[in-house]
Structures are given as structure tokens and as C-alpha cells.
Amino acid sequence: MPHHPSSPTISAAEHGESVTVHRDIVFARRDTGDLLLDLHRPATGHPVPVVLWLHGGGWFTGDRTLAPDLGAGAAATGCALASIEYRLSGQALFPAQLHDVRAAIRFLRANAERFGLDPSRIGVWGASAGGHLAALAGLTGHIAALPDEFGASEADGGNDAGADASVQAVAESYGPVDLAECVAGAAAAGGDGSRTPEARLLGGLPADRAELARQASPLTWVSAAAPPFQISHGTGDVLVSHRQSERLHAALVSAGVESDLYLVEGYKHGFLNPAGRLDVDLAAVMDDGRLAAEGTAAALHRGSGAQNTPDSPGATDGRTTFGFRDIHDFFRRHLVPGTD
């Protein structure tokens, strides 16, 4: 697979170590153009795990630069962080976006030696639309090929068809998991369901594209084969109800999958996003930059051992705090050898 020459090493002295950044790496070619990723790698002499960052934006906007501080993430976790592009809904309808994420996973695994990565230790991390795709990637990773995944417009180098697309850990924040419920909620609130991001992703209302909506909903794919999950969602989110994350967590626990849910008290949508990228029209419903600014936030935690259901809000492990450190610790625990 062709790739752009890497950029010079960028010193991340504020993170306590050097991080090498390889920019504009082509990981797949599509009719709509090449798909690129940027790789932030700790400057170590041994292979490191890699975590893919999947940006938000309702599947119709955003790009791989809409990300938290990935240099800090690489330094804190000892993992490489790869921020990837995927086709937006104006370019291609679902499942193109999931195919693109799986192509990036396969590319990094196939090119692990080139970039100093450990191909057996890969994670995905996403927020909002990216959280939805991260969940889907984790839940379908054990499936060698999805329907129509390797069509004529999805050239991934030929030899990648059916290659390993599995991941070993998933962290996702405020992602939709039942698209029909999201659209119904928007309509009940007086909105036009056909103009929702979910309907734009599907190319129509879920009621009219029921099978595609089912395939696009992470809840459909929950099984005991899923890797460990960490889920976070603000209780003040009016764009994607925190009930969506409660339902995913409950389904994972019922399937015997390790899952930790953090309900972040009072936080709105977008709290993992960097500050300064917000459309002013969304300021009332978004919390871009808030978690980075505040460091930690009060949260309710539900773990795999609790009796968790979406209708049992008291079934929690207890009050705690949540911050980027918890995300970093999750990936260290599941991807970095020798981490407690």
C-alpha cells in the first residue's frame, strides 16, 4: 500500500517524551479520493500497541484533525495513536464508513513492522459518530468480511481482503447505538427525522431502510466475541441521549463482555473534542474542550459486575470521577504488556 513519506520527528517535550508524527499516510484508495491517517508514535526502540482515533461530526462533517491531544495520549499510554479519515455521508452511505475503519485496522496491522507497531495489540477510540464506528469496529472485528466490503470501489491493496480486522479494546463516547431510536426521538421532539444525521447516513428514514438501520446499529452486533469496552456519556447530552450508552453497556454485560460505563454528570455532547472548533450555532448543546479544561468530572460508574439495565438507574458501582486519564489507563491496561 503506498504511503506518504513521514514527517520529521516532533518533540512533545510538554508530554515528557519525544513523539514521532507520520502525517498523510494513505491507507486506502476510494473513488472519492485517498483516505489518510496521521500516526503519533512514542519514540521507543520496540514495537508499541496502536489505537485508532475516529472523529465525530455526525458522519457528514469533521476530519482527522478533530481530535483530543493525541501526542499527550501517545505519551501517557505508550501506544501509538492513529487519527484516521473515513468517507462522510455526503460521499457514501453506510456501511462505507465502517469499511473504511476496518481498512485502516488491516493496514496498520499489515504495516506494523514498517511503523514499529505491535499487530496483536490494536484498539479503537471514538466520539459521537466516531464512537458509533468504534463500537461497530470492535463488535464486528471477529468477522473476516462484511457483506459487500470488498467491492470495486473499495480497493485496499488486493491482499487485504479477509485479513484480520479485530481489535483488542474499544473506548467510545456518546455514540448512537440504535439509529431508529435516535431518529424517533428527534421526531418526537418536533424535528424532521429525514434531516437527522442518522437518516443522512442511511440515505433515508430508518423505517424505510429498516435492514440497513439494523446493520448500522451496534446493538445488533453485540456478542461474547466483543473485546473490552469503556463507554462514557454526559447526562446533559440532548443530541444523543445517554440512554443509548446505557443500552450498549447493558447488552455487553448481558453477553459476558467486560464493560465500564461512565455517566458524566451534567456534561453535554462533544466533551472530548478540542476547544475552538465549535460552530457557534451549536454552542448551547455542545461541551467542546470542557473535559480537557476541567481535567476530571463527577461521574457515575457502572462496571461489568453490577446488575445493570437501562431502566435501573440505581444499579451503579458508585460515584467517581472521569477524565482523559481514565481513557489512557483503559488502553494501557488492555494493550500494554505488564500493565496492571
Side-chain angles (χ1 to χ4, degrees), residues 65-280:
T65 68
L66 185 63
D69 188 338
L70 299 183
T77 61
C79 300
L81 274 291
S83 184
I84 78 161
E85 295 178 345
Y86 52 84
R87 282 170 289 177
L88 302 177
S89 58
Q91 299 173 300
L93 301 178
F94 186 85
Q97 296 73 23
L98 177 56
H99 293 175
D100 294 344
V101 174
R102 285 166 58 92
I105 294 166
R106 291 187 176 105
F107 172 85
L108 290 168
R109 181 165 276 126
N111 290 274
E113 184 175 358
R114 177 186 302 172
F115 296 114
L117 307 175
D118 182 342
S120 68
R121 299 176 183 274
I122 298 179
V124 285
W125 177 25
S128 192
H132 162 264
L133 294 173
L136 281 174
L139 293 168
T140 63
H142 63 288
I143 300 172
L146 300 175
D148 302 319
E149 186 170 6
F150 297 99
S153 67
E154 303 204 349
D156 298 322
N159 295 326
D160 292 342
D164 186 3
S166 68
V167 299
Q168 287 64 59
V170 177
E172 77 93 358
S173 296
Y174 42 88
V177 301
D178 182 336
L179 273 60
E181 183 178 272
C182 289
V183 173
D192 181 352
S194 66
R195 297 175 63 86
T196 61
E198 292 82 7
R200 294 169 69 171
L201 179 69
L202 299 174
L205 289 170
D208 298 327
R209 312 208 70 184
E211 179 55 24
L212 187 61
R214 191 184 75 84
Q215 296 288 324
S217 296
L219 287 177
T220 300
W221 300 96
V222 172
S223 75
F229 268 67
Q230 182 195 82
I231 307 166
S232 57
H233 208 130
T235 61
D237 194 331
V238 298
L239 296 182
V240 178
S241 169
H242 63 273
R243 176 178 169 82
Q244 293 278 305
S245 288
E246 289 181 295
R247 291 184 65 195
L248 176 59
H249 173 70
L252 289 166
V253 172
S254 294
V257 178
E258 179 184 334
S259 176
D260 285 282
L261 170 65
Y262 292 88
L263 297 174
V264 187
E265 294 183 6
Y267 268 52
K268 296 179 284 190
H269 203 71
F271 59 77
L272 293 189
N273 290 346
R277 297 283 297 270
L278 188 63
D279 185 323
V280 292

Side-chain angles (χ1 to χ4, degrees), residues 38-52:
D38 297 334
L39 182 67
H40 302 247
R41 187 192 182 283
T44 65
H46 57 81
V48 297
V50 60
V51 175
L52 288 76

